[in-house]
């Protein structure tokens, strides 16, 4: 369940960042299709390096702050990677500099964390399976 919410959060976060931030713009004309490549990169990297708490609602606030900070740094670096990949493939989103990547990272991380907090939380038995 969390994996689906992370996937949806990554896509909605990249789409939201592309719409809200003028420094992140699609290379193509269609923003929805251009946000698909960054969302896939976010999903792959976030699966390899998971910096999410096991349960949002029961995690101590300090753990959320630490994981949130680490996650924002991770997402900022992913935005810079996305910009580099998009320039090579001539598709995706173009990111103008570090500040845009940082703001995009904050938007994506916040979107994913909000979607993970909504709905039923995983039980320890379900995580072991």
């Amino acid at each position: 369940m969390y994996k689906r919410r992370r996937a949806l959060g990554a896509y909605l976060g990249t789409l939201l960042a592309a719409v809200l931030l003028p420094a992140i713009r699609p290379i193509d004309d269609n923003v929805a299709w251009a946000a698909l490549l960054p969302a896939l990169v976010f999903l792959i990297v976030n699966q390899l390096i998971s910096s999410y708490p096991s349960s949002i609602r029961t995690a101590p606030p300090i753990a959320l702050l630490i994981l949130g900070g680490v996650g924002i740094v991770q997402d900022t670096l992913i935005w810079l990677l996305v910009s580099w990949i998009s320039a090579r493939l001539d598709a995706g989103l173009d990111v103008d500099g570090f500040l845009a990547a940082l703001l995009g990272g904050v938007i994506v991380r916040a979107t994913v964390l909000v979607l993970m907090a909504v709905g039923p939380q995983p039980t320890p038995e379900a995580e072991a399976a």
Side-chain angles (χ1 to χ4, degrees):
M1 182 65 84
Y2 258 5
K3 289 183 181 181
R4 286 187 220 145
R5 284 190 244 166
R6 270 195 265 165
L8 181 63
Y11 178 71
L12 290 177
T14 55
L15 191 60
L16 193 61
V19 170
L20 292 178
L21 300 174
I24 298 177
R25 54 188 180 282
I27 292 175
D28 303 337
D29 292 336
N30 192 346
V31 177
W33 281 109
L36 190 60
L37 173 69
L40 289 174
V41 174
F42 271 94
L43 285 175
I44 291 169
V45 173
N46 283 333
Q47 287 296 330
L48 295 173
I49 307 168
S50 180
S51 59
Y52 294 102
S54 59
S55 178
I56 298 288
R57 292 185 195 157
T58 59
I62 190 73
L64 288 176
L65 285 174
I66 291 170
L67 288 174
V70 168
I72 289 170
V73 170
Q74 176 182 332
D75 289 349
T76 300
L77 295 173
I78 294 173
W79 272 113
L80 295 173
L81 176 67
V82 162
S83 181
W84 181 78
I85 291 172
S86 296
R88 299 293 182 265
L89 295 178
D90 201 28
L93 294 173
D94 181 42
V95 181
D96 285 341
F98 182 78
L99 183 60
L102 179 66
L103 292 174
V106 170
I107 290 172
V108 170
R109 185 58 51 157
T111 305
V112 172
L113 288 176
V114 165
L115 283 180
M116 287 175 67
V118 174
Q121 299 296 304
T123 59
E125 300 86 36
E127 288 179 5

